[in-house]
């Protein structure tokens, strides 16, 4: 059943519009004065002021590789992340760890590990799927470059961002 | 001053000619506007600021805008036909010659026009609005009232006619 | 007349002085003011909406921001360097003509505005016509052509609707604009804008008659009672200026939600900029006209003019420093009015088209008409009949 909403009957004063207009003007000038007197601050002047201190622990920034407390790269190049990555940003070329290496029983490690940051959508699927807890999304968000090549993070860069992560981490905890 | 006179009268006549030469009605209307502006400029050179401003305000600012408005709302297709209508052309030429002949005969008989113009009194040159006002509201007051009533009648007539049409057409009024 | 005779008969000095005045007023005052009113529009709108607005562009290649005062220059360079695209389906001649036809009338009207009293004995007005307000209306009515032509020549439905709306709106509001001015002219009995301002400087502004002969304790009873019709005229006139300049409560010709951008939908680069700046130029001239007619133009309030004149000694000659103060006063008043325009724009929502027409034809037209009779009645009752 259609519901008919009656137009409100305006009083004589309301029909003049002027009180309403003046009321509106007062509201806008009130907001302007509040900003001008710096009673309220909304905008952050980006390059000078940054949000970094308020960033939550679960912020999803640039994905990066981590090493463990012994300096071993955690990634065993199982290529699950490469497989799961929705925009196919990850490219891994695996390599066998030579038998004389300290960690030769791990057998595999990435020879090349590239994440194309133009493609990356920061979804965090790689982090979720990784069985070795080797890839994490860090807090870096200002990722820029002058050309496409610069925007591809190679293994060295990924370890530089990621750093060391000690012990096993409960990934499903919000505070990882 | 005479230089300005030739410039503006040339502008006026040239664009006046364009009004009838142009095939596109919009161009014709705009040429007429420029012609009017030339006329207003001529009035300025005669120190008749009021008439000149009224010329622009009424003719170019109001009447021609409405003309333009209506021309724009019409479906304009440029007339491609270049056929000369001999009858119309002949008639036009006859009217033109008749008009020019009459103009020559009238101006030829106008002896005062051959004398030099009386120099314009300096003290009057800045009071044209006041002079026109005084003249209209004292000597021609009755005529003004009659004109006002006539225009009012015309306005009411238009309103009545348009309202009747609205009622017949649909319920949108 | 011989050619040499013509040249010698023309006096060079007045032409030179007018030329200097025109160049200074247009290029040193109006155009920078247009550019900076765009900047002010952006900053004030930002402040009203609790944002920041353009605050970065300062001196190039340095980090000096200057509150973003370089923004208009950057915008201008951007407009000049953008691609000037002419769509294939337009009527070329009129498409090119239209932007100029909106900008030129807006600049022409400033010829009769008295922007100062006197400087070195020279009147601070480009053309001291005795039909000032009528001249302004006549030239302002020409600015319709630019918009109509832009709408028609663009050959697109949005532009066309915008053009049609704009022209009907401007024609409608010109009537109440003209009629609301009649009481003002009745009160001053004068059509020369410079004389109107001089009278206000001596005997009180139209909306503030509290000194000189206009004050009620000095016998200015008529001016006191005329405050009421003057205020009505002020409101009708100001609102009509809003409608004439297509400012926001009445910006139906270019309302984005319905017509994309209205009559300048098909325009780009500098041609668009001309429309944009023409609107602001018209706004500045409109503010100047309101200030001149209702708020005393270049004059200082409360008889300060007369006091400063008496300080300077010579009662006939206005000293140069007072002339500069007068120019500054005029500019300050105009700037205040521009800020008011901006403030209103960011407060009120847009009118519906039928509401706009109803307001113009049914309310303002009648109000202005009745106002003329009220003014005439008060004048008859309070003033001695003219000799």
């Amino acid at each position: 059943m259609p519901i008919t909403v009656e137009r409100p009957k305006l009083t004589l004063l309301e029909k003049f519009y002027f009180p309403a207009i003046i009321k509106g003007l007062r509201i806008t000038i009130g907001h302007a004065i509040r900003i001008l007197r710096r009673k309220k601050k909304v905008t952050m002047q980006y390059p000078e002021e940054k949000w970094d201190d308020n960033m939550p622990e679960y912020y999803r920034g640039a994905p990066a590789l981590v090493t463990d407390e012994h300096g071993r790269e955690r990634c065993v190049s199982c290529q699950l992340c490469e497989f799961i990555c929705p925009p196919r940003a990850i490219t891994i070329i695996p390599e066998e760890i030579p038998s004389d290496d300290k960690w030769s029983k791990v057998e595999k490690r990435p020879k090349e590990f590239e994440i194309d940051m133009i493609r990356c959508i920061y979804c965090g699927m790689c982090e979720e799927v990784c069985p070795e807890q080797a890839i994490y999304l860090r807090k870096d968000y200002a990722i820029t470059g002058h050309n496409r090549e610069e925007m591809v993070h190679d293994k060295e860069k990924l370890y530089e961002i990621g750093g060391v992560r000690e012990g096993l981490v409960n990934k499903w905890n919000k505070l990882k | 001053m005479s230089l300005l006179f030739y410039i503006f009268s040339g502008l006026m006549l040239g664009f006046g000619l364009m009004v009838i030469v142009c095939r596109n009605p919009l161009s014709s209307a705009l040429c007429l506007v420029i012609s009017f502006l030339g006329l207003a400029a001529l009035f300025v050179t005669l120190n008749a600021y009021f008439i000149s401003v009224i010329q622009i305000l009424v003719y170019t600012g109001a009447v021609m805008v409405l003309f333009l408005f209506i021309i724009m709302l019409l479906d304009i297709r440029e007339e491609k036909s270049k056929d000369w209508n001999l009858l119309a052309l002949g008639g036009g030429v006859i009217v033109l010659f008749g008009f020019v002949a009459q103009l020559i005969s009238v101006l030829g008989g106008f002896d005062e026009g051959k004398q030099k113009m009386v120099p314009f009194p300096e003290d009057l040159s800045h009071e044209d609005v006041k002079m026109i006002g005084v003249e209209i509201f004292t000597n021609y007051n009755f005529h003004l009232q009659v004109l006002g009533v006539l225009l009012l009648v015309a306005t009411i007539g238009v309103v009545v006619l348009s309202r009747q049409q609205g009622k017949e057409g649909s319920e949108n009024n | 007349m011989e050619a040499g005779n013509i040249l010698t008969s023309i006096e060079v000095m007045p032409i030179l002085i007018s030329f200097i005045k025109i160049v200074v007023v247009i290029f040193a005052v109006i155009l920078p003011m247009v550019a900076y009113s765009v900047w002010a529009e952006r900053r004030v709108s930002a402040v009203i909406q609790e944002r920041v607005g353009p605050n970065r562009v300062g001196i190039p290649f340095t980090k000096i921001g200057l509150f973003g005062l370089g923004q208009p220059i950057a915008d201008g360079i951007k407009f000049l360097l953008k691609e000037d695209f002419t769509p294939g389906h337009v009527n070329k001649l009129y498409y090119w003509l239209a932007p100029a036809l909106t900008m030129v009338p807006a600049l022409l009207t400033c010829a009769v505005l008295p922007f100062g009293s006197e400087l070195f004995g020279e009147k601070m007005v480009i053309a001291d016509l005795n039909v000032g307000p009528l001249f302004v209306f006549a030239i302002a009515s020409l600015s319709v052509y630019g918009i109509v032509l832009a709408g028609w020549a663009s050959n697109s439905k949005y532009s066309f609707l915008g053009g049609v709306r704009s022209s009907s709106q401007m024609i409608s509001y010109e009537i109440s604009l003209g009629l609301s001015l009649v009481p003002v002219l009745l009160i001053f009995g004068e059509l020369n804008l410079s004389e109107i301002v001089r009278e206000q400087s001596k005997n009180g502004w139209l909306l503030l008659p509290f000194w000189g002969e206009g004050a009620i304790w000095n016998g200015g009873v008529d001016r006191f009672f005329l405050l009421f019709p003057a205020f009505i005229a002020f409101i009708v006139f100001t609102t009509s200026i809003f409608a004439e300049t297509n400012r926001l409560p009445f910006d139906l010709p270019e309302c984005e939600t319905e017509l994309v951008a209205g009559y300048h939908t098909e325009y780009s680069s500098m041609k668009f900029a001309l429309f944009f700046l023409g609107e602001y130029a018209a706004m500045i001239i409109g503010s100047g006209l309101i200030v001149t007619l209702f708020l005393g133009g270049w004059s200082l309030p409360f008889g300060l003019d007369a006091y400063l004149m008496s300080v300077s000694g010579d009662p006939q000659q206005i000293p140069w420093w007072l002339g500069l103060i007068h120019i500054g006063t005029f500019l300050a008043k105009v700037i205040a009015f521009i800020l008011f325009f901006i403030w209103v724009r960011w407060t009120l929502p847009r009118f519906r088209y039928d509401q706009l027409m109803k307001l113009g034809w049914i309310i303002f037209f009648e109000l202005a008409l009745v106002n003329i009779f009220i003014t005439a009645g008060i004048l008859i009752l309070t003033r001695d009949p003219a000799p």
Side-chain angles (χ1 to χ4, degrees), chain A residues 13-160:
Chain A
L13 200 65
E14 282 170 331
K15 274 183 185 165
F16 266 113
Y17 291 116
F18 267 103
I21 287 174
I22 288 163
K23 212 169 166 184
L25 288 173
R26 221 172 56 210
I27 289 171
T28 44
I29 201 81
H31 281 266
I33 288 170
R34 210 174 330 163
I35 280 289
L36 287 176
R37 292 177 63 196
R38 305 191 194 285
K39 282 271 170 68
K40 191 175 170 190
K41 190 160 183 274
V42 185
T43 314
M44 203 174 259
Q45 293 291 331
Y46 168 62
E48 290 91 19
E49 299 174 278
K50 281 184 180 164
W51 189 55
D52 296 7
D53 297 339
N54 307 319
M55 216 175 262
E57 279 299 311
Y58 44 85
Y59 185 83
R60 296 206 308 257
L65 294 176
V66 292
T67 50
D68 67 3
E69 60 268 36
H70 308 294
R72 174 185 73 92
E73 44 186 314
R74 286 191 177 207
C75 179
V76 295
S77 46
C78 65
Q79 291 173 293
L80 271 176
C81 50
E82 185 178 3
F83 182 75
I84 201 85
C85 181
R88 300 191 176 191
I90 301 174
T91 316
I92 301 169
I93 300 174
E95 159 185 68
E96 196 182 341
I97 300 177
S99 53
D100 53 346
D101 196 278
K102 188 179 168 192
W103 303 107
S104 61
K105 72 174 188 341
V106 182
E107 291 186 351
K108 262 175 98 186
R109 70 183 177 197
K111 185 183 174 198
E112 298 284 336
F113 195 113
E114 287 181 347
I115 303 181
D116 189 344
M117 292 312 295
I118 297 176
R119 292 193 144 204
C120 178
I121 57 169
Y122 306 93
C123 60
M125 296 271 244
C126 45
E127 178 183 327
E128 279 184 38
V129 82
C130 184
E132 292 288 325
Q133 306 191 345
I135 185 163
Y136 283 97
L137 266 61
R138 308 309 297 259
K139 286 183 183 175
D140 307 59
Y141 52 87
I143 294 149
T144 52
H146 288 104
N147 48 40
R148 281 162 190 274
E149 283 72 41
E150 271 180 45
M151 292 298 285
V152 178
H153 285 178
D154 57 4
K155 204 169 107 177
E156 198 184 334
K157 173 86 180 166
L158 289 171
Y159 276 117
E160 186 194 317

Side-chain angles (χ1 to χ4, degrees), chain B residues 22-95:
Chain B
C22 279
R23 285 281 166 174
N24 187 341
L26 195 88
S27 304
S28 296
L30 286 171
C31 288
L32 194 57
V33 167
I34 299 176
S35 184
F36 280 150
L37 287 180
L39 184 59
L42 282 184
F43 280 128
V44 168
T45 60
L46 293 174
N47 275 7
Y49 294 107
F50 184 68
I51 306 288
S52 126
V53 162
I54 291 296
Q55 168 81 23
I56 296 180
L57 193 63
V58 173
Y59 285 99
T60 49
V63 174
M64 285 316 292
V65 171
L66 290 178
F67 262 60
L68 208 66
F69 208 65
I70 288 159
I71 290 171
M72 277 168 47
L73 291 176
L74 295 174
D75 188 19
I76 301 175
R77 290 202 185 79
E78 270 192 62
E79 296 175 35
K80 295 289 177 198
S81 64
K82 292 282 179 188
D83 298 340
W84 295 98
N85 189 343
L86 279 180
L87 199 67
L89 199 68
V93 168
I94 289 169
V95 169

Side-chain angles (χ1 to χ4, degrees), chain C residues 77-95:
Chain C
I77 293 169
K78 184 198 78 174
F79 273 129
L80 280 171
L81 295 181
K82 268 194 164 181
E83 186 191 357
D84 192 8
F85 183 72
T86 308
H89 53 73
V90 301
N91 187 327
K92 289 259 164 36
L93 174 66
Y94 296 131
Y95 181 83

